[in-house]
Amino acid sequence: MARRVYIFDTTLRDGEQSPGVSLNVMEKLQIARQLARLGVDVIEAGFPITSPGDYEAVKTIAREVRGVTVAALARASFQDIDQAWEAVREAEQPRIHTFIATSPIHMRHKLRMTEEQVLEAAVAAVKRARSYVSDVEFSAEDASRSDLDFLCRVLEAAIAAGATVVNIPDTVGYATPEEFARFISEIRQRVRGIEKVVLSVHCHDDLGLAVANSLAAVMAGASQVEGAINGIGERAGNAALEEVVMALYTRRDQFGCETGIRTEEIYRTSRLVSSLTGMPVQPNKAVVGKNAFAHESGIHQDGVLKERTTYEIMNPQMVGISQSNLVLGKHSGRHAFRQRLQELGYELGEEELNKAFQQFKILADKKKEITDADLEAIVEEELRPVPVTYTLEYLHISTGTTVVPTATVGLKKGDELFEEAACGNGPVDAICRAVDKVTGIPCVLKSWGINAVTSGKDAIGEVTLKITENGGKTYLGRGISTDILEASAKAYVNAVNRLLWETGRLKE
């Protein structure tokens, strides 16, 4: 039988630490449910001690998501560990993940602790966590820059104290594959009791080697890989789990390993994470980028037409990328619409289905052909869990090379319609100013970007933008339309709704 490699997903913890990313409780829950469908073994749901919001998110995921281990991160501190336990205590399979740095540079400059103090703190933390749960993970932060003799002492002591998983992080992405594989091999040979626990690795991508280092560690005997969807995370990010999983599958002749991942859920998971975090996937990204299975060269196209495997080592359907073109049209009914969504893996409630179907009909009047990508965009737009205060009723734009851009917007709040007009440096600026006049909230547009969801002149465009109020927290907004300016207006209103929701001003 093939050796099992466990997949530990830290999208909701390390991934959310990406600059500019801030997920609310419902968004985290939505991603966690999709991660469970994907088949990850462990969801690291957050770092409960850091904020009430993070604590609530971990607690909600632990209570709502089943069939997967839910982990909470904690420093080697009793207060952290106690809070982590309170957050995960309702989980079907709770895990407490505690850590302390072991490298000389971290111990000297950050912790200001001696080796013996670190060793003592690690043991105490593991024992405290083990008093609450039977599944305890211990991480030696910055392990790859640690003295190997001391690291082995700490790992051995953590195992003796009750750790069931020991994790070797390449915290700053410093290691190289050959070096990291040798490092893991040494640990396996020198640490007593290592054969009784799961040996995990957590690699960062500062030198672009996170996936390579993770795979090298698996070859050297590691049995758990930690990473994030789309490789998001601190600085340059984490190991991209979809790349690790597909490498293990595609080159199983080399690795001799298997995972529990349902690969057909990979693309949908990637899209959801990208959408909710506001971090676009680069077109040439391995496995999930829109160019990953595209062929421009005539030689490549000819080869693929004759035999797919000439230039494709993975089948796009295997990762959940649909190859269907025309799916539905303006005359398609609700039943056909529901059935196609089910084929794409979406299970919608009646209210969600009704809203999505209305948007489908509106789009069908604008586009002759509706693709699966169009349908996915519609559903993801409708499923975004932000309570609506304002909705865009209409938008009029006057712009050109010889006129001052002017926008008139109509926003509905309940049954009441509010209308305002404003000028700006460009049409998007004018839209934002007009919306600000309606809401009375002077926001600053920090970033704006557009992604073509589908191809052609009538393609759906998805606008992602970020706003702040008085230079404070950043709020993400998204909107889709075949009209870029309408998508921009929807995205801006979406961001304002999020601001109102997260600041508790929905009733104003």
Side-chain angles (χ1 to χ4, degrees), residues 392-399 404-410 419-423 427-428 430-431 434 483 485-486 489:
L392 181 69
E393 185 70 9
Y394 71 81
L395 170 68
H396 294 157
I397 298 289
S398 174
T399 190
V404 176
T406 305
T408 303
V409 300
E419 302 169 289
E420 288 289 353
C423 299
V428 173
I431 290 168
D483 183 309
L485 296 178
E486 182 184 10

Side-chain angles (χ1 to χ4, degrees), residues 62 208 372:
D372 285 347

Side-chain angles (χ1 to χ4, degrees), residues 7 16 41 95 130 152 204 218 282 303 337 398 405:
I7 301 299
E16 203 211 6
D41 297 288
R95 175 183 293 183
R130 191 60 194 260
C152 289
H204 278 262
V218 170
Q282 66 194 63
F337 178 73
S398 174

